[in-house]
Amino acid sequence: MPAFAIIVPCRLESTRFPRKLLHPIKGKPLVLWVAERIAAQAPDYPLWFAVDHELLAECIEGAGFRAIMTDVSHPSGTDRIAQANRTVRASYVLNVQADEPLVTAGQLNALARLIQGDCPMATLCTPFKRIVDFYNVNQVKVVMSQTGRALYFSRSRMPYSRDLGLTIDDAWLAQNTCYKHLGLYAYKADFLEKFVAMPPGRLEQIEKLEQLRVLEAGYPIAIDVTEDPTIGVDTPEDAKKFEALV
């Protein structure tokens, strides 16, 4: 039983970008860019992929990585990871999203540090640099306490400037730091089982953000800031941006 493991939840179908994990970027499926990145950045962590389809399993295992088949009906990535960890049996689980191909060792080590504290779940955020990203509903915002606890996550702009409304710009953003939530989490193993036993929260169902289930149920989420560059591939346009980087 490893103390730590990285488990990547993988769902074949995606509403905004169908079958994006198999989308070829310079001839290589997106999910393998993520797999190779994790293996290079965090070789000391056991790495698993929790998949919901044989096509994903074949892709991942064919490249020499480990896949665990999970129920196709899981409502969230965290539910999928919980099922996978019943096989892996790690004490602490790090969750890297399968569409985050620029994860860094620093981010993973920060998560490992946070989850050994007093919160059952941890995550990361990074400052927004452009106002156009702050307005993008696909880029999730988070506000946090001075003690490093997440207060709320939303697709809407947070915080909202009452005085300036829709007139805020890049200069305002530079003076008033706002944070983008990254698709990186850590969990204590026992909390994963508590999570899957919770009914989906009202806020979670409205925003389509599973981490809100945790806050709405009254559990704290530890959060820290990373300045490491990142890109989440949520749309075909994001895939083109990543392809330009590589």
Side-chain angles (χ1 to χ4, degrees), residues 33-229:
W33 284 98
V34 175
E36 292 175 4
R37 175 72 172 189
I38 296 171
Q41 291 286 310
D44 295 333
Y45 292 94
L47 173 60
W48 299 81
F49 289 79
V51 304
D52 73 343
H53 198 283
E54 287 291 347
L55 287 175
L56 288 169
E58 291 169 5
C59 175
I60 290 162
E61 292 177 339
F65 299 97
R66 293 178 291 191
I68 297 174
M69 189 62 64
T70 57
D71 193 332
V72 70
S73 66
H74 282 312
S76 76
T78 308
D79 292 277
R80 193 171 308 286
I81 287 173
Q83 180 184 349
N85 197 48
R86 292 171 197 146
T87 297
V88 177
R89 300 180 69 190
S91 299
Y92 303 101
V93 176
L94 306 185
N95 169 2
V96 178
Q97 299 298 314
D99 57 7
E100 293 273 352
L102 293 182
V103 63
T104 68
Q107 291 168 340
L108 294 170
N109 290 334
L111 284 173
R113 173 182 54 80
L114 286 173
I115 199 58
Q116 293 178 83
D118 58 0
C119 290
M121 181 172 168
T123 192
L124 297 176
C125 64
T126 193
F128 278 103
K129 303 297 185 184
R130 304 189 309 160
I131 203 68
V132 65
D133 296 326
F134 189 51
Y135 276 86
N136 186 342
V137 297
N138 292 323
Q139 299 198 29
V140 176
K141 294 80 186 171
V142 61
V143 289
M144 69 194 85
S145 72
Q146 295 178 356
T147 56
R149 300 291 183 267
L151 297 175
Y152 193 68
F153 301 85
S154 182
R155 298 184 183 278
S156 299
R157 290 174 292 129
M158 296 191 308
Y160 180 85
S161 173
R162 187 199 65 176
D163 294 333
L164 298 179
L166 299 178
T167 66
I168 60 174
D169 55 16
D170 286 342
W172 180 90
L173 195 61
Q175 295 295 320
N176 299 273
T177 306
C178 301
Y179 293 99
K180 172 186 174 180
H181 178 233
L182 302 182
L184 300 166
Y185 300 98
Y187 316 87
K188 290 181 169 69
D190 61 345
F191 181 70
L192 278 172
E193 296 301 329
K194 292 178 182 178
F195 179 93
V196 298
M198 301 176 200
R202 183 179 67 89
L203 298 173
E204 173 189 6
Q205 294 179 73
I206 292 171
E207 295 257 20
K208 304 305 180 189
L209 298 173
E210 66 196 72
Q211 62 270 37
L212 290 176
R213 187 188 314 182
V214 178
L215 295 183
E216 195 169 5
Y219 292 95
I221 300 176
I223 189 166
D224 202 358
V225 179
T226 174
E227 294 283 354
D228 291 347

